[in-house]
Amino acid sequence: MKTFKVNWNITQNWQLLFPFLGLVVLGYSAFRLTSLLPLTTLYMTIPVSFVMFYVLLKIVLYTIEKLEPKWIVNQRWELIRIFIVFAITGSSSVLVGRPVIKWLGITQDNLNPLLYWILFTVISLFFYQVLLVLIGWVFGQFQFFWNFEKKMIRRFGLGKFLKD
């Protein structure tokens, strides 16, 4: 445990919450992905879920290793917190976008499916931008996500609306 704390710059025990939460979310994701496969029994689903968990963990650790020099954080464990915010925000933007598009009366039946998905993506992307900063604030990473958001707004060509 000491080695783990040193590797992730964990100085207080409450900070262990984020690696634990990250592993739980990763395990749930592995199980959900495995449930999409045409496996017939639970005896097959559980071992495949463990393999999927291992593969996802390796991908996440590799990604953290590559992004660590680019993302400026005080402690390494904060990278896990940032990944959790991205995961929650991505799912939440879709969950918020669906009722909004239904409220607007837009369905695949009354609109060309290609236009429907383009519109759904634009609406979800709008909510993604807002939720990213809000959820980042809840997780104590407001400044990181506000800077991330400003960079994204500039890439969309809307930088003239920002005041620095």
Side-chain angles (χ1 to χ4, degrees):
M1 184 59 98
K2 286 182 181 181
T3 307
F4 181 81
K5 284 183 172 184
V6 169
N7 285 342
W8 287 95
N9 304 110
I10 294 175
T11 56
Q12 298 177 0
N13 285 336
W14 68 267
Q15 295 167 344
L16 288 168
L17 171 70
F18 293 103
F20 174 75
L21 185 60
L23 289 173
V24 168
V25 170
L26 198 64
Y28 178 73
S29 299
F31 182 75
R32 291 292 299 200
L33 286 172
T34 303
S35 68
L36 296 175
L37 299 174
L39 302 173
T40 55
T41 66
L42 191 60
Y43 297 114
M44 286 298 295
T45 303
I46 292 174
V48 173
S49 293
F50 279 113
V51 171
M52 183 77 70
F53 174 81
Y54 180 77
V55 169
L56 290 175
L57 182 61
K58 287 297 188 181
I59 291 170
V60 167
L61 290 175
Y62 174 79
T63 306
I64 285 175
E65 183 181 311
K66 292 299 179 188
L67 290 174
E68 188 174 7
K70 295 179 183 181
W71 290 352
I72 300 166
V73 293
N74 296 328
Q75 296 174 311
R76 193 167 185 235
W77 65 268
E78 292 182 47
L79 294 167
I80 298 169
R81 186 162 58 171
I82 290 168
F83 270 56
I84 292 171
V85 170
F86 278 122
I88 292 171
T89 303
S91 302
S92 300
S93 65
V94 172
L95 292 175
V96 171
R98 279 187 186 140
V100 168
I101 206 159
K102 282 184 182 178
W103 178 75
L104 292 172
I106 299 170
T107 65
Q108 289 182 357
D109 296 333
N110 63 12
L111 190 65
N112 180 318
L114 179 64
L115 290 175
Y116 171 84
W117 285 109
I118 291 171
L119 189 58
F120 179 72
T121 303
V122 168
I123 289 171
S124 295
L125 186 62
F126 171 76
F127 285 111
Y128 181 82
Q129 306 307 315
V130 173
L131 290 171
L132 189 61
V133 175
L134 288 174
I135 295 171
W137 173 75
V138 169
F139 276 80
Q141 290 289 352
F142 174 78
Q143 196 58 50
F144 175 86
F145 285 104
W146 180 240
N147 292 336
F148 189 86
E149 201 56 45
K150 288 190 291 189
K151 187 188 290 185
M152 195 178 300
I153 288 169
R154 285 186 187 100
R155 286 184 181 164
F156 286 151
L158 303 172
K160 59 188 172 195
F161 297 111
L162 291 175
K163 292 182 182 178
D164 274 334

